[in-house]
Amino acid sequence: MGRGALVFKGDSKSKKKKSSKKKHSKKSDDNISAERQETIIETGTIVAAVAKQVTATPQQTSQQSQLVIKEGSGDITTSGTVVTGHNGTRFEKELSNGDAIVVSVEGQEEMRVVTMRLSNVSCAISSAFSQNLKSPTEFSIIPKPRDKQGEARLSAQQKVLSKQEEEKQAFGTY
């Protein structure tokens, strides 16, 4: 059954109105295509400029290649993406979101990213290991690389906002 108004036996169907479509003149199409070409050229220039900024210097590359691997305290078991700590794990002190957990599963090392830290004995990872760790297993931690420039920028913004908020609250106080 079709949707729409309820039609009883013997009622005549109403005809639908045709909508008229406006035709674009060739002149306006030329203008639109010229605008699109300009946008494409500008976007390409921006992409090229960003690509130049993104390329890393040898000093930045050497800093990124120096990963610090720390031994985690205690042992862990997993069930899917849930990690449970045993024998004195300290997830709240050792882990943060974005850090990686490295575990040896059947002789191969596997790494997963921590998505959520719930307590000292519970956290969640990005995806499950190839097999659930049923017996407590030792693990290592690779800390998330820090963005020192971004952190400095963020702290400067927070200082400015707190100063502005303080000035707003001080208005009218004598």
Side-chain angles (χ1 to χ4, degrees):
M1 288 205 135
R3 294 188 180 184
L6 186 60
V7 179
F8 293 103
K9 191 174 186 180
D11 288 347
S12 63
K13 294 182 181 180
S14 61
K15 295 183 180 179
K16 293 184 180 180
K17 294 181 181 179
K18 293 183 181 180
S19 62
S20 61
K21 293 184 181 180
K22 295 181 181 178
K23 294 184 180 180
H24 294 286
S25 66
K26 191 170 187 176
K27 194 173 189 180
S28 64
D29 285 342
D30 291 340
N31 291 338
I32 292 172
S33 62
E35 290 174 9
R36 286 182 184 165
Q37 287 175 354
E38 289 175 13
T39 304
I40 292 169
I41 291 169
E42 289 174 10
T43 307
T45 307
I46 292 170
V47 170
V50 170
K52 287 179 184 177
Q53 292 176 354
V54 170
T55 56
T57 63
Q59 183 182 11
Q60 291 171 337
T61 310
S62 66
Q63 289 174 354
Q64 292 173 354
S65 63
Q66 297 174 357
L67 294 176
V68 178
I69 300 175
K70 300 186 288 185
E71 287 295 319
S73 60
D75 300 322
I76 60 170
T77 57
T78 63
S79 177
T81 60
V82 177
V83 178
T84 306
H86 303 277
N87 304 328
T89 53
R90 297 182 302 213
F91 290 160
E92 290 184 345
K93 288 186 178 183
E94 295 177 345
L95 286 178
S96 62
N97 293 348
D99 290 352
I101 294 179
V102 180
V103 176
S104 179
V105 178
E106 292 187 356
Q108 288 189 336
E109 287 190 339
E110 294 186 21
M111 178 178 71
R112 299 293 184 266
V113 177
V114 175
T115 56
M116 182 173 29
R117 181 189 65 204
L118 300 171
S119 67
N120 271 331
V121 294
S122 181
C123 71
I125 53 178
S126 59
S127 60
F129 289 108
S130 61
Q131 290 184 349
N132 287 334
L133 303 174
K134 296 176 183 172
S135 61
T137 308
E138 293 181 352
F139 67 102
S140 301
I141 301 167
I142 301 176
K144 175 182 162 183
R146 293 180 58 187
D147 179 16
K148 294 179 182 179
Q149 292 176 345
E151 290 174 5
R153 200 175 328 118
L154 184 62
S155 66
Q157 288 175 349
Q158 288 175 344
K159 286 179 184 179
V160 168
L161 290 175
S162 65
K163 186 174 181 179
Q164 290 174 349
E165 186 64 32
E166 185 179 323
E167 289 175 358
K168 285 181 183 178
Q169 291 177 355
F171 182 74
T173 306
Y174 297 101

